[in-house]
Amino acid sequence: MNLLVVGSVALDTIETPFAKASETPGGSALYISISASYFTRSIGLVGVVGDDFPKDVIEDLRSRGIDLKGLQIVDGGKTFRWGGRYHYDMNTRETLFTHLNVFSNFNPTIPSEFKSSKYVCLGNIDPVLQMEVLKQVESPKLVIADTMNFWIERKYGELLETLKHVNVLIVNDAEARQIAMEPNLIKAGKKILKLGPDVVIIKKGEHGAVLIIDGTIFTAPAYPIESIQDPTGAGDSFAGGFAGWIAKTDDISEENLRRAVIYGSTIASFCVEDFGINKIKNLSWDKIQERFMAFRELMRFEVE
Amino acid sequence: MNLLVVGSVALDTIETPFAKASETPGGSALYISISASYFTRSIGLVGVVGDDFPKDVIEDLRSRGIDLKGLQIVDGGKTFRWGGRYHYDMNTRETLFTHLNVFSNFNPTIPSEFKSSKYVCLGNIDPVLQMEVLKQVESPKLVIADTMNFWIERKYGELLETLKHVNVLIVNDAEARQIAMEPNLIKAGKKILKLGPDVVIIKKGEHGAVLIIDGTIFTAPAYPIESIQDPTGAGDSFAGGFAGWIAKTDDISEENLRRAVIYGSTIASFCVEDFGINKIKNLSWDKIQERFMAFRELMRFEVE
């Protein structure tokens, strides 16, 4: 397998000041794998759902060449449900409910065909489970991982242990500050590099993303969107676009990591243009390339 | 005169969580003209101070080739004083006091030698005074202006009148939203373009700046600074670097406006590294060029 994706698969209920969507398919593994599917057709997904999860979404994943051998479907079980509400500026949200359901007993079992995966992308799940996954894979070329405040607060020691085995950590600005216990973002990024990762990517929402490698910083803007519909999954879409491009090109040079950040930003920018996965499930390579090139125009300046 | 600068000259008392500076030279016209002086030696400054304003600062301005014919020094008068305190994250500040002093009767009189200035940079002063300046100049090639929430709230009608005669408006994100009465920054910028300006530049502090021209958007990051000492004057330094580069090159093409944004960002990045004007008064062309090139590295990515 080229890219192994492990994370949550969920049914989300999302409220924005302008609209509401109930029980729409979501979860980090779903966003990551759909986003990455435009780059590689060799993806293995590991996760869990109940038998209430829509069959057409599962069929859609399969049609993208995503191998679902690792997706446990629990008979009579209920899929993980999350509800959240965005505030007027769309930058802050509150969680309305979290029903773990079948996810509460999730123990990722990596099918033997997936164990030799070259690239691994760990969605935001318990760092203990992330570590369990890494113990089962043989010798991945690159491990990409996400986390969140919930785990930083509750499982800091376990997270630090997992970080030792992560090559690329993708977090948002608040999470980076929290992990490093340092308010300055650049200093925070550099501190995280000392905890294990070779690369840190800090997502700043509408302000873009920063890639920090020892000695190098790359800044990418967010694509200017005049009408954000729903920010849910933007971070996971970023990770999926990033991981997908790396898996497609099999090149982890700094130059290519920069490109991967732009591909991540590209998919994330599509994601927020509609609710849930509605936009990212209907992309095309041409649309992706067009927006990738728009980033060049957005960032371009010439020395005389 | 190549560049006419009109604005406040002040003595600032600045508190950060880490240090304090009392009665340090400041004001928009001071920051703008010092910043621009690295690009052109044909600058005319129009402003007002009391006879308590430090003579050595005035001498320093003169030594930069800044023509002070338009700087009124009021005998027995006291210079404008401002006091402000920054909060822990350095992104928000409160005004502790404002003593207008001689500035309360400021009526900008443009010396006849300045009236044919090619470029005009209007610091943040009453839009009525900005308009008074524009009535006195003959036919500038480009008028650059700043404003602030104080005037947007109190003199909105007058500001709209002034904006009809401004080519480049430089404001921060909150001000752009407030002028346009539109929360989305890109939409706000485009709305402002309909009010008169051909170009809007929105400064986002640590998140960089956005240049909006009809049909084109250019995004520049902020230079990553690990230890911000004092954000005072960063916006004015940006305006000074921007205006200075434009005045130096006498080129208002979109390509050159992009470069000017990076020069503005460059000078602003130096500004925050020390209190008040301490850092920007001691720059060199080599240092400026070195940081300008660092922006290229920060923003660079190649299509395969």
Side-chain angles (χ1 to χ4, degrees):
Chain A
M1 199 55 64
N2 197 0
L3 176 63
L4 171 63
V5 176
V6 186
S8 59
V9 181
L11 290 172
D12 293 339
T13 295
I14 301 159
E15 288 178 35
T16 75
F18 316 106
K20 181 174 170 170
S22 289
E23 308 243 313
T24 185
S28 60
L30 192 73
Y31 280 102
I32 293 170
S33 57
I34 292 175
S35 300
S37 72
Y38 294 99
F39 299 91
T40 171
R41 292 195 56 100
S42 175
I43 298 178
L45 188 157
V46 171
V48 62
V49 292
D51 58 8
D52 57 349
F53 194 77
K55 301 288 170 294
D56 60 322
V57 178
I58 290 178
E59 271 322 299
D60 175 71
L61 293 175
R62 230 174 237 129
S63 74
R64 294 169 186 275
I66 299 172
D67 190 327
L68 299 178
K69 216 175 275 96
L71 180 67
Q72 305 163 36
I73 303 179
V74 180
D75 257 352
K78 289 190 78 179
T79 299
F80 173 32
R81 276 162 173 82
W82 174 83
R85 181 190 288 140
Y86 290 88
H87 301 133
Y88 184 64
D89 70 356
M90 291 282 203
N91 286 321
T92 51
R93 74 174 179 203
E94 54 183 315
T95 291
L96 296 177
F97 59 84
T98 305
H99 303 315
L100 290 176
N101 300 331
V102 294
F103 200 69
S104 60
N105 297 313
F106 179 50
N107 209 331
T109 309
I110 310 301
S112 55
E113 301 94 313
F114 292 7
K115 291 190 177 177
S116 60
S117 295
K118 209 167 194 176
Y119 295 95
V120 177
C121 189
L122 301 170
N124 161 37
I125 53 173
D126 188 330
V128 175
L129 297 186
Q130 290 178 325
M131 197 62 229
E132 283 305 313
V133 171
L134 295 181
K135 280 180 191 158
Q136 295 174 66
V137 291
E138 279 151 20
S139 57
K141 188 166 170 181
L142 199 79
V143 175
I144 301 160
D146 187 7
T147 191
M148 71 180 291
N149 56 352
F150 187 88
W151 306 118
I152 302 168
E153 286 156 19
R154 284 166 185 77
K155 303 221 172 166
Y156 191 65
E158 293 85 342
L159 177 63
L160 290 185
E161 193 52 40
T162 301
L163 284 183
K164 290 180 190 164
H165 307 273
V166 167
N167 302 106
V168 180
L169 181 70
I170 304 183
V171 285
N172 71 30
D173 41 2
E175 291 155 1
R177 290 188 171 103
Q178 207 175 358
I179 292 171
M181 295 187 264
E182 162 61 50
N184 182 285
L185 215 51
I186 304 301
K187 276 191 191 166
K190 290 183 176 176
K191 271 192 166 179
I192 291 171
L193 290 183
K194 291 186 181 151
L195 300 175
D198 311 303
V199 177
V200 176
I201 298 170
I202 303 174
K203 298 168 291 181
K204 305 193 296 175
E206 60 169 332
H207 300 300
V210 183
L211 169 76
I212 304 178
I213 310 174
D214 189 32
T216 295
I217 298 175
F218 171 60
T219 56
Y223 186 80
I225 305 275
E226 294 192 26
S227 178
I228 293 177
Q229 294 303 314
D230 171 21
T232 310
D236 297 319
S237 302
F238 179 98
F242 178 89
W245 175 256
I246 295 289
K248 173 191 176 77
T249 53
D250 194 20
D251 170 2
I252 57 171
S253 67
E254 184 206 310
E255 292 303 307
N256 204 46
L257 290 171
R258 287 176 179 243
R259 266 176 229 124
V261 167
I262 301 296
Y263 277 108
S265 305
T266 295
I267 309 295
S269 76
F270 283 121
C271 181
V272 302
E273 288 183 340
D274 203 342
F275 264 80
I277 58 170
N278 289 349
K279 183 88 181 200
I280 60 165
K281 72 180 181 189
N282 290 315
L283 295 178
S284 67
W285 185 244
D286 282 354
K287 279 186 194 166
I288 292 169
Q289 277 305 101
E290 193 189 351
R291 187 155 293 181
F292 177 83
M293 294 308 290
F295 271 89
R296 262 185 83 79
E297 190 54 23
L298 211 52
M299 298 165 70
R300 179 184 60 78
F301 76 96
E302 306 297 332
V303 177
E304 275 180 302
Chain B
M1 200 55 63
N2 197 2
L3 176 63
L4 172 63
V5 176
V6 186
S8 59
V9 182
L11 290 171
D12 293 339
T13 296
I14 301 158
E15 288 178 36
T16 75
F18 316 106
K20 182 175 171 168
S22 288
E23 307 244 314
T24 185
S28 60
L30 192 73
Y31 280 102
I32 293 170
S33 57
I34 292 174
S35 299
S37 72
Y38 294 99
F39 299 91
T40 171
R41 293 199 49 103
S42 176
I43 298 178
L45 187 157
V46 171
V48 61
V49 292
D51 58 8
D52 56 350
F53 194 77
K55 301 289 170 292
D56 60 321
V57 178
I58 291 179
E59 271 323 299
D60 175 70
L61 294 175
R62 228 172 239 131
S63 74
R64 293 170 186 276
I66 299 171
D67 191 327
L68 299 178
K69 217 175 274 98
L71 180 67
Q72 304 162 35
I73 302 178
V74 180
D75 257 353
K78 288 190 79 178
T79 300
F80 173 32
R81 276 163 173 81
W82 174 82
R85 181 190 288 142
Y86 290 89
H87 302 133
Y88 184 65
D89 69 357
M90 291 284 201
N91 286 322
T92 51
R93 75 175 178 202
E94 54 182 317
T95 291
L96 296 177
F97 60 83
T98 306
H99 303 317
L100 290 176
N101 299 332
V102 295
F103 200 69
S104 60
N105 297 313
F106 179 51
N107 208 332
T109 308
I110 309 302
S112 55
E113 301 95 312
F114 292 6
K115 291 189 177 177
S116 59
S117 294
K118 207 166 197 176
Y119 295 96
V120 177
C121 189
L122 300 170
N124 161 36
I125 53 173
D126 188 331
V128 175
L129 297 185
Q130 290 178 325
M131 197 61 229
E132 283 305 313
V133 171
L134 294 181
K135 281 181 190 158
Q136 295 174 66
V137 290
E138 281 153 17
S139 56
K141 187 165 169 181
L142 199 80
V143 175
I144 301 160
D146 187 7
T147 191
M148 71 182 290
N149 56 351
F150 187 88
W151 307 119
I152 302 169
E153 286 155 21
R154 283 166 185 78
K155 301 221 173 167
Y156 191 65
E158 294 85 343
L159 176 63
L160 291 185
E161 192 52 41
T162 301
L163 283 184
K164 291 180 190 164
H165 307 273
V166 166
N167 303 107
V168 180
L169 181 69
I170 304 182
V171 286
N172 70 30
D173 42 2
E175 291 155 1
R177 291 188 171 104
Q178 209 176 357
I179 292 172
M181 295 186 263
E182 162 61 50
N184 182 284
L185 215 49
I186 303 302
K187 276 192 190 167
K190 289 183 177 177
K191 271 193 166 179
I192 291 171
L193 291 182
K194 292 187 180 151
L195 301 175
D198 311 303
V199 176
V200 175
I201 299 170
I202 303 175
K203 298 168 291 181
K204 305 193 295 174
E206 61 170 331
H207 300 301
V210 184
L211 169 76
I212 304 178
I213 310 174
D214 188 32
T216 295
I217 297 175
F218 172 60
T219 56
Y223 187 79
I225 305 275
E226 293 192 26
S227 176
I228 293 177
Q229 294 302 315
D230 170 22
T232 309
D236 297 319
S237 302
F238 179 98
F242 178 89
W245 175 256
I246 295 289
K248 174 192 176 77
T249 53
D250 193 21
D251 171 3
I252 57 171
S253 67
E254 185 206 310
E255 292 303 306
N256 205 46
L257 290 171
R258 288 175 179 243
R259 264 174 229 125
V261 166
I262 301 297
Y263 277 108
S265 304
T266 295
I267 308 294
S269 75
F270 283 121
C271 181
V272 303
E273 288 183 340
D274 204 342
F275 264 81
I277 58 169
N278 288 351
K279 183 87 180 200
I280 60 164
K281 73 180 182 190
N282 291 315
L283 296 178
S284 67
W285 185 245
D286 281 354
K287 279 186 193 164
I288 292 169
Q289 277 305 102
E290 192 188 349
R291 188 156 292 183
F292 177 83
M293 294 309 289
F295 271 89
R296 262 185 82 78
E297 190 54 23
L298 210 52
M299 298 165 70
R300 179 184 61 77
F301 76 97
E302 308 296 334
V303 178
E304 275 180 301

